[in-house]
Amino acid sequence: PAYLGDTIRKEYHIQDLRTTSGGEDTLLKVKCELINQRNERVFSLSKTMLFMGTTSKRGTRDMAKPKNPPKKPKSLLLEKISQRAGVLNRSNALARLHEGQLILHSLARPIGTSMSMILATMFRMTHPSLYNTKRFGQEDIIVPGGVMFSKVHACAARGLYEILYEELEHAQLLNTLAPKHVVGAMSYVHSIRQFPDNPELEEVVLQTWGIKDFDVAHELRDVEVSIISTVMLPSSIDRSTTKASISSFFFSNFCFVERR
């Protein structure tokens, strides 16, 4: 048994690793144990898990797309929006988007250590770097990945408030984000086309970068930025923008999101 005050550590032992009969997935059998400070086992569990992709001889999994990927589920909400687009109020529209447009979003306040820990607990995120100030210290505590994405979306939503429906196509976490960091964002309009089910609506593909401790709207106001896939390169730097600011910009890019 385990008692109050015990120090518990966990250990994982891989018992079996093999490819499924179909040759496209991997079966992993793992034994999990909880050990107390006296090296006594207080809990054990054996489980079999299924992972997409196959395992190579080097022990790494090939995560290539499956030959027959599942179809994207149909959204009933998108259907309703498309059917009732004619009754939407368009009086609040400020400006139309155009392909190649770069939108600089204003800063959002830090999430704070307490709120970051509350959200991590609520969604059962248990990695020590999210809450263990004894081990990592206040300076090294980080924000959970899901909260980072939400923060970037919230920052960008100020300039994109007319979105009725969206789908996340691709996302990357590039660097860590601390609870004390303010968050800025910038969005690139990759493409625009008429929505196939309703010509009154537009389908826009947006690429958004989250940038910590960098005032995007102020620092990049007079700077030309070249967009190459998911990489941003300043092609022309205004004299009023300091070298320190541009260097900070590169190392502060912590999140990339592509959505439709």
Side-chain angles (χ1 to χ4, degrees), residues 20-37:
T20 57
S21 57
E24 294 185 355
D25 302 308
T26 298
L27 282 172
L28 178 66
K29 187 176 180 181
V30 181
K31 184 177 182 181
C32 310
E33 293 183 329
L34 296 182
I35 311 295
N36 64 17
Q37 70 273 22

Side-chain angles (χ1 to χ4, degrees), residues 179-199:
K180 66 178 183 179
H181 287 143
V182 293
V183 173
M186 58 191 297
S187 295
Y188 174 70
V189 182
H190 187 270
S191 64
I192 300 176
R193 72 184 184 100
Q194 260 189 355
F195 188 65
D197 296 335
N198 192 323

Side-chain angles (χ1 to χ4, degrees), residues 11-22:
E11 295 182 357
Y12 297 100
H13 304 276
I14 298 177
Q15 298 179 313
D16 187 32
L17 179 67
R18 60 187 176 88
T19 303
T20 57
S21 57

Side-chain angles (χ1 to χ4, degrees), residues 6-252:
D6 280 357
T7 300
I8 305 294
R9 74 175 189 272
K10 53 189 175 182
E11 295 182 357
Y12 297 100
H13 304 276
I14 298 177
Q15 298 179 313
D16 187 32
L17 179 67
R18 60 187 176 88
T19 303
T20 57
S21 57
E24 294 185 355
D25 302 308
T26 298
L27 282 172
L28 178 66
K29 187 176 180 181
V30 181
K31 184 177 182 181
C32 310
E33 293 183 329
L34 296 182
I35 311 295
N36 64 17
Q37 70 273 22
R38 295 180 294 276
N39 288 324
E40 299 170 342
R41 185 178 62 188
V42 297
F43 177 83
S44 65
L45 170 71
S46 292
K47 59 181 179 179
T48 301
M49 297 180 288
L50 177 67
F51 293 92
M52 294 179 61
T54 56
T55 305
S56 68
K57 294 180 180 179
R58 295 173 297 178
T60 58
R61 287 189 296 121
D62 179 13
M63 295 305 294
K65 292 183 179 180
K67 297 178 181 178
N68 300 310
K71 292 183 179 180
K72 186 181 294 185
K74 198 171 185 180
S75 171
L76 295 178
L77 174 60
L78 183 58
E79 277 189 14
K80 292 291 185 183
I81 292 174
S82 176
Q83 292 168 4
R84 299 182 58 84
V87 300
L88 296 175
N89 183 4
R90 294 175 173 78
S91 60
N92 293 327
L94 298 178
R96 295 185 65 87
L97 298 176
H98 59 268
E99 291 186 4
Q101 181 179 0
L102 188 64
I103 306 170
L104 305 181
H105 305 291
S106 56
L107 282 176
R109 68 178 186 175
I111 189 171
T113 302
S114 297
M115 181 55 67
S116 180
M117 290 186 182
I118 289 172
L119 292 172
T121 303
M122 183 185 301
F123 294 103
R124 300 181 181 180
M125 301 175 184
T126 58
H127 195 279
S129 61
L130 303 178
Y131 66 90
N132 193 338
T133 55
K134 182 70 174 178
R135 176 177 170 185
F136 291 95
Q138 289 285 356
E139 295 298 319
D140 295 321
I141 293 296
I142 61 175
V143 174
V147 178
M148 292 167 64
F149 287 130
S150 300
K151 192 69 176 173
V152 172
H153 278 231
C155 187
R158 298 175 184 178
L160 301 169
Y161 64 89
E162 293 176 296
I163 294 176
L164 300 176
Y165 177 86
E166 69 176 64
E167 295 178 356
L168 183 65
E169 298 286 336
H170 178 71
Q172 288 179 301
L173 294 176
L174 307 173
N175 289 295
T176 59
L177 178 70
K180 66 178 183 179
H181 287 143
V182 293
V183 173
M186 58 191 297
S187 295
Y188 174 70
V189 182
H190 187 270
S191 64
I192 300 176
R193 72 184 184 100
Q194 260 189 355
F195 188 65
D197 296 335
N198 192 323
E200 296 186 10
L201 299 177
E202 287 183 337
E203 183 181 85
V204 181
V205 176
L206 281 171
Q207 296 176 335
T208 300
W209 291 266
I211 303 166
K212 61 185 177 183
D213 280 347
F214 192 88
D215 192 344
V216 175
H218 176 71
E219 297 286 352
L220 297 182
R221 183 178 301 170
D222 299 317
V223 177
E224 294 181 10
V225 179
S226 299
I227 307 293
I228 304 176
S229 183
T230 60
V231 180
M232 296 174 294
L233 300 173
S235 55
S236 176
I237 301 175
D238 188 86
R239 292 180 180 178
S240 61
T241 304
T242 65
K243 292 182 180 179
S245 296
I246 294 300
S247 175
S248 174
F249 168 72
F250 280 114
F251 290 103
S252 297

